[in-house]
Amino acid sequence: LGPYPGLLAQGKELLGTLPIALLLLLLCGLDWALYSVFDTIRQHSFQQYSFRSSHKLEVKVGGDSMLARLLRKTIGALNTSSDTVVESNNLPCLPQPVCMDARAYWRASLPIVLLVCLCLAQAFGYRLRRVIAAFYFPKREKKRVLFLYNDLLRKRAAFTKLRRALIIRRAQQQRGPRHHLVDTLHHRCPLLRRWLRRRCVVCQAPETPESYVCPTPECEAVYCQSCWNDMKKLCPVCTPREELSSSAYSDSNDDLKYAE
């Protein structure tokens, strides 16, 4: 991400949304767990009660006298009978959880999705800002483009020098004398030859029969076939720098013409 500061800023913005997304995920998981617990309590704690009672009150007064007849008329009104049936349950005391549907989860996660989309589209907003500034300040935009172009050329030349120095250092390491134990293992253990073979000084690929070995006695650098073709069949280790073609190895003076 070093050469691309826009991607680096975009990555930081996305990392900033990660805690919010994790918090939302935690809350959704907690909501589902609480719903499961309360629903289990509601299903297994339900109880229903039934109460039945009946009574009959009857007062009998015997006799044919006037007092007996008076008492029968007066106390007879107290004769009652009733049957009572009462049914009840603990449903009002139990929790009544409501599960969130898919639409509710989508509404909860919609702000996070919009935030991620804004982070991804942030680079386009920066580009639009540059286009607007270039429209009103064209000279300033020209200076900016020239500065970036020249800076790219300088970095390209520096990278080419470092890459050529790395290839030369690898070639020098290959020319160095190997330990006699390594040579013995290379000749007597065919299974270990794969790890004891020399490698391409450019891509570090193991040496194969198709690999090219520089015929210069003091060089003998190893190149795989693809790297040798990419180098336009010029060895950067033993070839003078001024003889390297810019198309083969981009460190010639033709590539260092800065714009003004």
Side-chain angles (χ1 to χ4, degrees):
L1 296 177
Y4 304 98
L7 293 179
L8 182 60
Q10 190 178 60
K12 290 182 179 180
E13 295 292 338
L14 291 176
L15 288 178
T17 60
L18 185 60
I20 304 177
L22 293 178
L23 178 61
L24 177 62
L25 184 62
L26 177 62
L27 292 178
C28 291
L30 183 61
D31 174 77
W32 180 83
L34 291 177
Y35 169 77
S36 301
V37 171
F38 289 142
D39 185 65
T40 303
I41 294 175
R42 182 179 61 85
Q43 293 179 2
H44 296 278
S45 299
F46 177 76
Q47 293 183 359
Q48 187 171 3
Y49 305 93
S50 179
F51 176 76
R52 297 177 180 271
S53 66
S54 62
H55 72 277
K56 184 177 182 181
L57 178 61
E58 184 178 0
V59 179
K60 294 182 179 181
V61 180
D64 294 331
S65 63
M66 183 180 64
L67 182 59
R69 290 193 299 269
L70 180 61
L71 289 176
R72 276 196 295 270
K73 292 181 180 180
T74 304
I75 301 177
L78 299 177
N79 296 336
T80 59
S81 62
S82 64
D83 294 327
T84 304
V85 178
V86 178
E87 293 184 356
S88 179
N89 54 56
N90 62 343
L91 186 61
C93 301
L94 295 178
Q96 303 294 330
V98 178
C99 181
M100 294 178 60
D101 54 358
R103 182 177 299 178
Y105 283 111
W106 169 250
R107 287 198 299 264
S109 59
L110 183 60
I112 304 298
V113 176
L114 293 178
L115 184 59
V116 173
C117 293
L118 289 177
C119 293
L120 295 177
Q122 186 179 18
F124 297 98
Y126 289 159
R127 293 178 183 178
L128 183 61
R129 179 182 61 182
R130 186 195 62 80
V131 171
I132 296 174
F135 178 78
Y136 289 101
F137 304 97
K139 294 183 179 180
R140 183 70 176 179
E141 177 65 14
K142 182 179 179 180
K143 292 181 180 179
R144 174 182 175 275
V145 172
L146 292 178
F147 171 78
L148 293 177
Y149 177 74
N150 294 332
D151 185 65
L152 180 62
L153 290 181
R154 285 190 293 268
K155 290 181 179 179
R156 182 182 179 185
F159 173 77
T160 301
K161 294 178 182 178
L162 293 176
R163 190 64 179 174
R164 187 169 186 265
L166 178 62
I167 293 175
I168 294 175
R169 184 168 64 253
R170 289 175 178 174
Q172 292 175 352
Q173 292 176 355
Q174 286 185 357
R175 291 198 305 266
R178 296 197 301 182
H179 197 273
H180 67 280
L181 180 60
V182 178
D183 294 334
T184 303
L185 293 176
H186 184 270
H187 289 88
R188 296 187 179 183
C189 299
L191 297 177
L192 298 178
R193 291 178 183 176
R194 181 179 179 181
W195 291 275
L196 298 177
R197 289 179 298 180
R198 294 183 298 179
R199 295 181 177 273
C200 174
V201 294
V202 180
C203 65
Q204 292 294 292
E207 183 182 7
T208 60
E210 292 79 13
S211 299
Y212 178 82
V213 180
C214 183
T216 305
E218 297 181 357
C219 180
E220 298 181 356
V222 179
Y223 299 91
C224 63
Q225 193 63 36
S226 60
C227 291
W228 181 246
N229 294 332
D230 292 340
M231 304 300 294
K232 302 299 181 182
K233 299 182 179 181
L234 289 176
C235 178
V237 179
C238 58
T239 303
R241 180 178 177 181
E242 57 273 5
E243 296 182 8
L244 293 176
S245 173
S246 61
S247 60
Y249 207 82
S250 56
D251 63 348
S252 65
N253 295 330
D254 296 339
D255 292 330
L256 298 179
K257 294 180 179 179
Y258 298 107
E260 297 179 356

